[in-house]
Amino acid sequence: MKRKPFLAGNWKMNLERKSALDLARALRDAVGNSSERDVAVFPPFVYLDEVVRALAGTSIKVGAQNLCDEKNGAFTGEISAEMLVDVGATTVLVGHSERRHLYGESDELCNRKLQRALAAGLNVILCVGEKLDERDAGRTEHVIGRQTTLGLKGVSAEQMSKLTIAYEPVWAIGTGRNATAEQAGSAHTYLRGVLAGLYDERVAQALRIQYGGSVKPDNIATLMAAPDVDGALVGGAALKAESFLGIVRFK
Ligand code: PGA
């Protein structure tokens, strides 16, 4: 099955208002309404509204990097799924390794966030990935299989059309050391098998699995050529129009 490439830029806690809007406008001018590839950006919460407006009328989607697992109420400092929808976000990241490992988010919390996002009508990129010691101990499949299975608990086959999985080995994020095409391909193929087991072959084949971790313009084509790699979730190289466009336009 041919899956449409999905290239996403996670800006993390970077850029300020002007550089965020400059970047959004540069992407708008370059990508416009092109529909051959799905492109999305994930700005910090406080710039979501303005970035959504800057990209209105283009095919570029805007998403959030996180959300609260509660619907509303006394949760100081949190942002709800409905608020994200309200400002025009259409997607949200759940379970990014920085959330899991710096902020202690468990598989159960990721699942509650994912459920909350789906209930609000958001698309979700569920991020999974092993740490270096887990890879070295031969536990990569065990870890990403568990994160995927627990993260998707209670999600129906119909709801899976709202999902993307991002395989992001923790040791490759922000380190300049990307997974090889073989490592990415083998993890992605494993994950597709997990999805076929949880759902069925049709759901597994339709779902897109992005690779993330030190993706750059000069390694994207090789990674995209690996089996079951359908896109990329990009951090550092998504902060400049030139490098992100070099990834979006890979050949
Ligand atoms: P990186 O980050 O491209 O800077 O390695 C990827 C990510 O965390 O999504």
Side-chain angles (χ1 to χ4, degrees), residues 8 10 12 93 96-98 127 168 172-176 212-216 233-238:
N10 173 10
K12 308 191 180 183
L93 303 182
H96 188 278
S97 77
E98 286 144 25
C127 307
E168 300 201 296
I173 297 180
T175 59
S214 300
V215 174
K216 301 270 170 345
L233 181 56
V234 186

Side-chain angles (χ1 to χ4, degrees), residues 124-215:
V124 174
I125 300 180
L126 173 65
C127 307
V128 302
E130 82 288 0
K131 295 189 283 186
L132 188 57
D133 59 325
E134 293 166 335
R135 171 163 286 267
D136 289 345
R139 297 183 70 239
T140 296
E141 294 187 347
H142 171 80
V143 170
I144 64 179
R146 187 203 72 221
Q147 291 172 333
T148 302
T149 305
L150 296 181
L152 294 175
K153 206 167 156 211
V155 176
S156 70
E158 290 65 44
Q159 287 176 311
M160 286 301 286
S161 63
K162 308 283 272 182
L163 259 293
T164 299
I165 305 266
Y167 168 63
E168 300 201 296
V170 180
W171 47 271
I173 297 180
T175 59
R177 179 185 164 197
N178 61 282
T180 63
E182 291 69 32
Q183 287 170 325
S186 114
H188 285 221
T189 302
Y190 173 74
L191 285 173
R192 209 175 293 289
V194 169
L195 292 160
L198 290 174
Y199 297 94
D200 56 34
E201 200 53 44
R202 188 189 56 82
V203 168
Q205 288 298 325
L207 182 123
R208 290 180 296 189
I209 306 178
Q210 296 173 318
Y211 166 77
S214 300
V215 174

